Amino acid sequence: MGISLNQERRIVIIGCGAGGGTAAQFARKTDRKANVSIFEKGIYPQYSKCGLPYVISGKIPRFEDLIEFSEEWFNKAKIDLFLKSNVEEIDINEKIIKVNNNGKYIEYPFNSVIIATGAEPAIPPIKNLSQDGKFVKGVGVVRTIDDAKKIKSLLTPGKKATVIGAGLIGLEMADCLYEKNINVTVVEALPDILSNTLDPDMSAQIMDQLSEKIDIYLNHFANEIKHENGVIKSVSIQDRESGVINQIPTDILVVATGTKPENSLAKKSGCRLGKHGHIIVNERSETSIKNLYAIGDCTEYIDFVTKKPTPIGLGSIVVRQGIAAGINAAGGSYSLPNGVLQTRTTDIFGFEVAAVGPTLSCFESENIVTGKFNGFSLPEYFPGGKSISIKVLVNADSGEIISAQGIGDKAAQRINTFAGAVLGRLNIDLFKKLETAYAPPVAPTLDAVTLACDVVSMKLNRKKR
Ligand SMILES: Cc1cc2nc3c(=O)[nH]c(=O)nc-3n(C[C@H](O)[C@H](O)[C@H](O)COP(=O)(O)OP(=O)(O)OC[C@H]3O[C@@H](n4cnc5c(N)ncnc54)[C@H](O)[C@@H]3O)c2cc1C
């Protein structure tokens, strides 16, 4: 390509996922003259990974519908997008990246680089999961369009699927497979489902209804695959307490046990990495190396409440880091809040689940008071009210709201209200007085948000007496 550095600002972005694509847009908006280029090793421009389970279920018709920004879009925005371009090295001293562009070697100059290389599925040690370096037929993960296409191609009604991992993605997949008339079993090593999102008392509220539709084994490890001629037949799972082993007949096995950061370029460049290999970034999405930014699932930042490092794994955060990196790399100035709130949600088997802030198990020595309200989303006299549960966690010493969890009608919107409270470090005695909108067909005079706060405030005041 032979491009030499000139006066123009040259911003190179590695990876065209949610993070890289967003960073490019904001770099372009900030400096209209800058040269903004994205190098993506895959064949797709920016698409929504979060939509993958819903193409598998058929709710979204085609995988192509997930493409949020096409090659034409980037072209019009004057962002150079290079697909099939694997960046092999960032040479910090020479200020060039070295790229394998579909078999051709390219050197490309930069003033700043944004690493947005994402993550890879983390695969637990399950015997016989792979043969000759490839998954046995019937085994898959859900990270890319190609992964999801593979799973979709295996689905015919009546088949048996096992999902390993009962986090947000594992349960979204279980729901989507159930929608396709597949018999679904979920295996989870921990004693509860959704343990990063809900406290056990909250997740227990939906376990019974989930168990009517799918089989769930908690506290079980998947430890071996049985296959015939390279095609999966069953998975053996072991009870972590009793040691008893069960064979689950399985045609499709989906491994949804988290991710590991794609950090090889950052590592080679000498960026500071966290305990689990994530690139450490600050509120401006800067790494430990000047002019090197990093964003997304390959990074860690601090949690707003605990101030402990936390791996990034939510598209909502990735996009906001992308805004920061794009603006800062282009000469602007943008800082994220002092930590991530981890506001998260999903809809599984008809239950909207949402949370902001850490679950109770994340607090070791802090003095926490919790309060919970189970009720309805509309006044009792109005037809059509749906169940809603809200749990609030408050720091008993300061009275500050530190996290909240919700299940049921418009749980995410209600949790978004709490996100404002956590970010503003609001005291429970002020927040319980929040004036929420009321009309019988929409919401009651005192919303579940307020009533949950009342419960925790009463407990707190009793404790103080
Ligand atoms: C099934 C699923 C459902 C999800 N649902 C939600 C949800 O509902 N809400 C939510 O907030 N989050 C959700 N997430 C998480 C969210 O999708 C991720 O946090 C987000 O997509 C990560 O974006 P990223 O840009 O960091 O990484 P990625 O999207 O993984 O992009 C990284 C890109 O970098 C490329 N790359 C890597 N190395 C190189 C290299 N050396 N050279 C060139 N290119 C390279 C990769 O090919 C890839 O395209 C979900 C994730 C999945 C998988």
Side-chain angles (χ1 to χ4, degrees), residues 15 18-19 40-41 49-50 85-87 116-118 142-143 296-297 315-316:
E40 163 57 51
K41 71 177 176 186
K49 290 187 155 43
C50 312
S85 297
N86 186 28
V87 178
T117 46
V142 208
R143 181 74 197 175
D297 287 7
S316 46

Side-chain angles (χ1 to χ4, degrees), residues 223-260:
N223 51 18
E224 188 174 355
I225 301 298
K226 297 261 189 301
H227 59 88
E228 278 170 24
N229 303 323
V231 181
I232 186 168
K233 292 292 163 196
S234 68
V235 52
S236 48
I237 62 169
Q238 184 165 31
D239 189 315
R240 292 180 66 189
E241 268 169 27
S242 65
V244 170
I245 292 179
N246 253 303
Q247 291 292 335
I248 314 282
T250 296
D251 306 301
I252 303 153
L253 182 86
V254 180
V255 185
T257 46
T259 60
K260 54 176 196 265

Side-chain angles (χ1 to χ4, degrees), residues 154-399:
L154 299 169
L155 304 182
T156 43
K159 279 207 172 172
K160 298 181 181 69
T162 301
V163 178
I164 305 180
L168 290 170
I169 293 175
L171 289 184
E172 281 176 8
M173 277 306 299
D175 186 3
C176 288
L177 293 168
Y178 175 81
E179 287 282 306
K180 298 293 285 179
N181 294 317
I182 304 288
N183 299 309
V184 182
T185 300
V186 172
V187 180
E188 167 58 54
L190 296 174
D192 305 287
I193 60 167
L194 296 172
S195 58
N196 286 332
T197 302
L198 299 175
D199 289 344
D201 59 317
M202 290 292 279
S203 59
Q205 289 186 202
I206 53 174
M207 263 302 277
D208 285 350
Q209 285 96 324
L210 259 58
S211 301
E212 281 171 16
K213 297 183 172 168
I214 58 175
D215 292 326
I216 306 182
Y217 290 87
L218 298 175
N219 235 352
H220 277 73
F221 273 135
N223 51 18
E224 188 174 355
I225 301 298
K226 297 261 189 301
H227 59 88
E228 278 170 24
N229 303 323
V231 181
I232 186 168
K233 292 292 163 196
S234 68
V235 52
S236 48
I237 62 169
Q238 184 165 31
D239 189 315
R240 292 180 66 189
E241 268 169 27
S242 65
V244 170
I245 292 179
N246 253 303
Q247 291 292 335
I248 314 282
T250 296
D251 306 301
I252 303 153
L253 182 86
V254 180
V255 185
T257 46
T259 60
K260 54 176 196 265
E262 176 40 72
N263 63 8
S264 47
L265 291 170
K267 213 176 187 173
K268 261 199 235 165
S269 310
C271 287
R272 260 185 75 213
L273 303 180
K275 213 160 74 186
H276 303 290
H278 298 84
I279 309 164
I280 298 175
V281 292
N282 64 13
E283 70 284 359
R284 289 171 49 84
S285 298
E286 291 163 330
T287 67
S288 57
I289 293 180
K290 196 161 181 272
N291 298 325
L292 243 182
Y293 298 81
I295 54 180
D297 287 7
C298 56
T299 68
E300 70 173 40
Y301 183 40
I302 48 170
D303 181 88
F304 185 80
V305 174
T306 63
K307 301 297 177 215
K308 289 182 187 153
T310 189
I312 302 306
L314 288 170
S316 46
I317 302 173
V318 172
V319 162
R320 284 161 177 83
Q321 286 183 308
I323 294 172
I327 292 176
N328 293 330
S333 180
Y334 192 99
S335 293
L336 294 170
N338 189 18
V340 287
L341 301 179
Q342 313 218 53
T343 317
R344 49 213 186 271
T345 188
T346 192
D347 187 316
I348 40 164
F349 297 94
F351 293 100
E352 194 169 310
V353 170
V356 58
T359 55
L360 192 56
S361 64
C362 299
F363 299 101
E364 286 146 17
S365 53
E366 291 86 346
N367 189 5
I368 310 289
V369 175
T370 69
K372 190 156 80 172
F373 171 79
N374 290 327
F376 286 92
S377 58
L378 297 180
E380 286 201 11
Y381 60 81
F382 201 91
K386 294 183 185 140
S387 71
I388 173 80
S389 289
I390 298 281
K391 180 171 181 179
V392 192
L393 276 67
V394 169
N395 180 318
D397 300 321
S398 65

Side-chain angles (χ1 to χ4, degrees), residues 12-217:
V12 158
I13 297 158
I14 308 173
C16 192
T22 306
Q25 288 186 37
F26 278 81
R28 164 56 63 244
K29 280 186 197 169
T30 308
D31 181 347
R32 297 273 167 197
K33 289 198 188 129
N35 179 298
V36 181
S37 310
I38 313 180
F39 292 83
E40 163 57 51
K41 71 177 176 186
I43 59 170
Y44 303 104
Q46 186 184 342
Y47 66 89
S48 169
K49 290 187 155 43
C50 312
L52 290 171
Y54 309 100
V55 187
I56 292 175
S57 74
K59 214 169 249 172
I60 300 171
R62 299 165 319 147
F63 284 104
E64 293 71 34
D65 297 331
L66 297 179
I67 295 178
E68 294 175 297
F69 298 96
S70 62
E71 286 185 85
E72 295 74 50
W73 188 92
F74 282 109
N75 197 17
K76 272 197 197 139
K78 298 197 170 12
I79 294 167
D80 296 327
L81 171 62
F82 299 90
L83 296 177
K84 298 186 202 161
S85 297
N86 186 28
V87 178
E88 296 180 337
E89 194 184 334
I90 304 168
D91 188 330
I92 305 285
N93 297 326
E94 296 297 320
K95 290 204 157 197
I96 50 166
I97 54 163
K98 298 178 181 174
V99 189
N100 179 342
N101 171 240
N102 203 16
K104 228 169 44 202
Y105 175 78
I106 292 173
E107 289 187 354
Y108 202 89
F110 66 80
N111 298 110
S112 48
V113 171
I114 301 173
I115 302 177
T117 46
E120 302 274 318
I123 308 295
I126 300 173
K127 207 169 150 196
N128 298 331
L129 198 63
S130 303
Q131 255 189 341
D132 305 326
K134 273 195 192 153
F135 283 142
V136 162
K137 191 150 189 262
V139 175
V141 291
V142 208
R143 181 74 197 175
T144 64
I145 284 186
D146 293 342
D147 295 334
K149 278 186 176 169
K150 197 174 114 184
I151 292 175
K152 190 161 183 165
S153 74
L154 299 169
L155 304 182
T156 43
K159 279 207 172 172
K160 298 181 181 69
T162 301
V163 178
I164 305 180
L168 290 170
I169 293 175
L171 289 184
E172 281 176 8
M173 277 306 299
D175 186 3
C176 288
L177 293 168
Y178 175 81
E179 287 282 306
K180 298 293 285 179
N181 294 317
I182 304 288
N183 299 309
V184 182
T185 300
V186 172
V187 180
E188 167 58 54
L190 296 174
D192 305 287
I193 60 167
L194 296 172
S195 58
N196 286 332
T197 302
L198 299 175
D199 289 344
D201 59 317
M202 290 292 279
S203 59
Q205 289 186 202
I206 53 174
M207 263 302 277
D208 285 350
Q209 285 96 324
L210 259 58
S211 301
E212 281 171 16
K213 297 183 172 168
I214 58 175
D215 292 326
I216 306 182
Y217 290 87

Side-chain angles (χ1 to χ4, degrees), residues 396-417:
D397 300 321
S398 65
E400 279 173 16
I401 296 172
I402 50 177
S403 63
Q405 300 160 25
I407 302 173
D409 196 46
K410 299 193 183 71
Q413 290 310 328
R414 292 182 158 97
I415 289 302
N416 284 343
T417 314

